[in-house]
Amino acid sequence: MPRRFLSDWRNWQLAVAMAFVVAAGAAGAFAGSDYFLQIMVLAAIYAAVGTAWTISGGLSGLLLLGYISFFGLGAYVDGLLYTKFGVNPWLCMPIAFAAAGLLAWLIALLTLRFGLSEDYFAMFTVALSQVLKYILLNWEFAGRATGVYLTVVKDDFATLSFVDRRPYLYIALALLAIVILVTWAVQRSRLGYYLAAVRENDQAAEALGIDSAKVKTKAIVLSGALAGMIGAFYTQFATFIDPKQVFSLATNFEMLLGPVLGGRLSIVGPVFGASFLKPLQDLLRGWLGGEADALYLVLYGAVLTVGILVLPKGVAAYVEAWHRRRYGNP
Amino acid sequence: MSLLELERVTKRFGGLTAVDAVSLAVEPGEILGVIGPNGSGKTTLFATVSGFLAPEAGAMRFEGQSIAGLKPSRISALGIARTFQVVQPFAGLTVFDNVVAGALRGGRERLAPAQRAADQVISRCGLEAERNKLAGALTIAGRKRLEIARALATRPKLILLDEVMAGLRPTEVDQAIELVRTIRASGVTVIVVEHLMRAVMALAERLCVLHHGALIAQGDPREVIERPEVVEAYFGRKSAHA
């Protein structure tokens, strides 16, 4: 690849992340066990969600802590449309994208137009995810606490159901590739400049003609919509929805761990962060045992907080510094 | 028609009237100086004109259009740019990216032309050597220049410069004065708020004096600074025993 293209940090990340996605696909093709594939699919889903989060939680600088709302909503949109109305799962993904985007837009409207400050915004998003959980836990039509179960029609590409786990991995990686591309495109676009300006200094951005509320709204909507799309795929992969899981705060923080430690302003950060942390979390969970759910929450919360304080730009900052030296940018 | 017209503009903070019924007309192409002791309302007046503060009373018109109550981004889009007295760089971005953010003009410019325009502004403001540095790593003089460059990149009709010379060394002040002159020469109307009398007197064709938020004098700079009410505002009333 031309050196000139790679000398841009964003392009370099795109190339590396895409190479990683392809390599993961190849590794999956030769993977022997379903257990291993299962972990890979989940890692890809987490990487995609984590990367999508960086558009709002990273680039725009918003403390969007309660991000799982969009994922959970997408999961339910797919589950309900598929089981109750027979909507094709492939079609459910764009619908979930739109539904989660709409939720994100409403959140932006409520919080930004009324000038909710940063910490309250964070609390609002966390609270909202739990409100959604309790609504779905009590909604008859959505199966209450039982959730939604999908009947699997065996090996049918048209209805996104496979006995083999491999096709799920390929689709998950394709979704991850889409999220990576979108994030890269955002970073390189005018919106990327506005987001950087608003993140760095809201007032100065406004003085330059940048409508900060509008810019943040765009970031939340795009970020939320992508999570919704991934949530829809998750339902098809898992074949059931447990409301306590798809709106779980523990899962929420698990999903943010990769981008926060990896680097929330980067692309490689969330991709590699989630890809390594998710399997690690699964191992850790096995080791700590099933009774320790509250312990995870404490652990993730602590790691997340320390990560934000100690490594505000994540591990990716060091890679970026290396890249700068390697390609001779001052 | 005046470029900017203020009519009895008033801004209060609780019981304090920071800007008190200021009426002012700014003509296209001029350099207007605004001076006044600390706390006289200069920065508040700028913040009001640029939309960061909403006036309690009075009218503000830019090119005949009312701008009172508009958001800062809207006012910037109409062609009023401002710098901040306490510089507000995008510290984590490079100088180039800082200026590009301005050159995009809130979406009215595409990315490639904005990047070209940014490089032009950078060289105009003498920031070439700093182009790829992080804005947070600049010296105070560099930051003041960046503040001007970013505002200039929005291609304003009117630029409000808030103490861009404060804290500069004498040679840097000379360079800054020269820069402001070239800005005006390119057809941009300039309002300078400045404590440094040497700079104001070198630049301003007309001078306004604020005191306790009120406009107490305006006119020819050399004549205005001799007026008793202006001298009094700065130095107080002459004691009977002196």
Side-chain angles (χ1 to χ4, degrees):
Chain A
M1 215 168 294
R3 187 185 159 85
R4 206 180 138 70
F5 179 81
L6 289 179
S7 72
D8 183 309
W9 165 236
R10 291 162 300 200
N11 294 345
W12 185 87
Q13 291 185 90
L14 176 74
V16 170
M18 284 303 188
F20 179 71
V21 168
V22 172
F30 296 107
S33 76
D34 270 1
Y35 175 69
F36 188 59
L37 280 167
Q38 184 87 2
I39 288 177
M40 283 184 81
V41 175
L42 283 175
I45 287 173
Y46 274 55
V49 171
T51 309
W53 177 76
T54 65
I55 296 173
S56 55
L59 300 180
S60 81
L62 281 163
L63 268 175
L64 194 109
L65 276 188
Y67 187 53
I68 202 158
S69 306
F70 309 111
F71 180 84
L73 178 71
Y76 265 95
V77 164
D78 177 276
L80 292 178
L81 285 181
Y82 180 65
T83 57
K84 307 278 180 180
F85 303 100
V87 179
N88 184 291
W90 291 100
L91 193 62
C92 285
M93 280 200 260
I95 296 173
F97 180 90
L102 185 69
L103 174 68
W105 182 71
L106 289 173
I107 292 174
L109 203 69
L110 267 170
T111 56
L112 298 176
R113 301 295 145 122
F114 292 110
L116 217 55
S117 72
E118 228 173 80
D119 32 2
Y120 284 99
F121 174 80
M123 284 197 268
F124 176 82
T125 58
V126 171
L128 182 75
S129 70
Q130 297 315 292
V131 169
L132 287 173
K133 177 165 88 181
Y134 284 103
I135 289 174
L136 286 155
L137 271 170
N138 290 289
W139 191 17
E140 187 70 54
F141 183 71
R144 293 187 182 236
T146 320
V148 180
Y149 283 82
L150 272 61
T151 38
V152 181
V153 185
K154 281 176 183 176
D155 267 335
D156 184 3
F157 184 79
T159 59
L160 221 165
S161 45
F162 308 97
V163 181
D164 188 9
R165 301 269 92 181
R166 269 184 200 85
Y168 287 112
L169 177 64
Y170 301 144
I171 296 165
L173 289 172
L175 289 176
L176 173 58
I178 290 172
V179 174
I180 290 170
L181 262 175
V182 169
T183 309
W184 170 79
V186 166
Q187 289 198 11
R188 285 177 52 92
S189 69
R190 289 190 285 184
L191 180 59
Y193 273 100
Y194 302 150
L195 288 171
V198 165
R199 172 184 78 234
E200 289 282 336
N201 192 321
D202 224 314
Q203 288 226 322
E206 277 279 341
L208 298 179
I210 299 167
D211 186 336
S212 69
K214 205 164 119 190
V215 166
K216 285 177 187 166
T217 303
K218 282 185 186 174
I220 298 172
V221 168
L222 185 57
S223 181
L226 287 169
M229 177 182 77
I230 301 157
F233 168 75
Y234 173 78
T235 298
Q236 290 296 325
F237 166 67
T239 67
F240 72 93
I241 307 171
D242 173 0
K244 286 197 285 298
Q245 192 214 337
V246 295
F247 289 105
S248 135
L249 278 183
T251 310
N252 180 64
F253 292 131
E254 269 181 41
M255 284 172 163
L256 303 192
L257 207 58
V260 167
L261 297 183
R264 58 201 160 131
L265 301 180
S266 73
I267 300 169
V268 287
V271 172
F272 285 90
S275 301
F276 291 109
L277 287 172
K278 175 58 188 158
L280 201 69
Q281 285 156 8
D282 289 338
L283 290 175
L284 197 70
R285 173 159 296 177
W287 176 58
L288 283 174
E291 300 295 308
D293 250 358
L295 192 60
Y296 297 127
L297 216 56
V298 173
L299 206 65
Y300 295 141
V303 174
L304 218 57
T305 311
V306 172
I308 290 172
L309 291 176
V310 179
L311 288 172
K313 289 180 85 184
V315 176
Y318 298 99
V319 185
E320 188 180 0
W322 166 84
H323 176 271
R324 202 174 285 149
R325 286 195 302 275
R326 165 81 172 71
Y327 289 92
N329 295 325
Chain B
M1 185 178 65
S2 300
L3 186 65
L4 176 72
E5 289 170 280
L6 307 182
E7 229 176 81
R8 302 191 58 76
V9 170
T10 302
K11 176 68 210 171
R12 293 192 196 92
F13 297 110
L16 176 80
T17 306
V19 175
D20 191 0
V22 168
S23 297
L24 185 64
V26 183
E27 302 307 322
E30 73 170 328
I31 299 182
L32 174 71
V34 178
I35 63 167
N38 284 327
S40 60
K42 305 181 297 289
T43 295
T44 306
L45 182 66
F46 266 19
T48 309
V49 170
S50 55
F52 284 90
L53 297 170
E56 266 77 40
M60 303 195 292
R61 278 184 300 276
F62 184 66
E63 295 189 306
Q65 184 188 341
S66 172
I67 55 167
L70 294 185
K71 288 209 288 189
S73 53
R74 285 283 306 135
I75 289 177
S76 164
L78 290 174
I80 302 180
R82 72 166 292 186
T83 66
F84 291 90
Q85 181 183 4
V86 179
V87 290
Q88 312 268 334
F90 304 131
L93 308 185
T94 62
V95 167
F96 177 67
D97 286 346
N98 265 267
V99 181
V100 172
L104 286 167
R105 307 175 75 223
R108 285 169 301 136
E109 194 69 82
R110 301 205 60 81
L111 189 53
Q115 286 169 333
R116 283 195 294 275
D119 267 325
Q120 279 170 11
V121 173
I122 284 172
S123 74
R124 243 180 98 184
C125 297
L127 284 164
E128 294 103 324
E130 276 79 28
R131 183 186 185 274
N132 297 321
K133 282 187 194 158
L134 291 182
L138 295 182
T139 61
I140 189 67
R143 288 179 200 210
K144 296 269 183 186
R145 268 171 189 271
L146 175 60
E147 197 77 10
I148 298 174
R150 221 170 40 178
L152 215 50
T154 65
R155 285 203 269 134
K157 293 166 186 155
L158 171 67
I159 189 165
L160 314 176
L161 301 175
D162 197 351
E163 302 228 5
V164 290
M165 322 238 177
L168 300 193
R169 288 196 295 263
T171 53
E172 293 167 342
V173 170
D174 290 336
Q175 289 166 353
I177 289 173
E178 204 39 52
L179 178 59
V180 175
R181 286 197 175 123
T182 68
I183 291 170
R184 197 272 298 272
S186 70
V188 180
T189 308
V190 181
I191 306 182
V192 284
V193 158
E194 203 58 65
H195 262 307
L196 204 62
M197 284 311 282
R198 171 164 87 83
V200 187
M201 296 312 281
L203 285 168
E205 292 144 339
R206 209 153 58 87
L207 200 57
C208 291
V209 186
L210 286 176
H211 185 46
H212 294 320
L215 187 62
I216 57 165
Q218 61 173 314
D220 176 77
R222 259 150 261 285
E223 185 254 321
V224 161
I225 57 166
E226 302 288 337
R227 288 194 203 168
E229 64 268 32
V230 175
V231 174
E232 194 187 302
Y234 271 91
F235 301 108
R237 197 181 296 273
K238 206 180 249 178
S239 155
H241 303 287

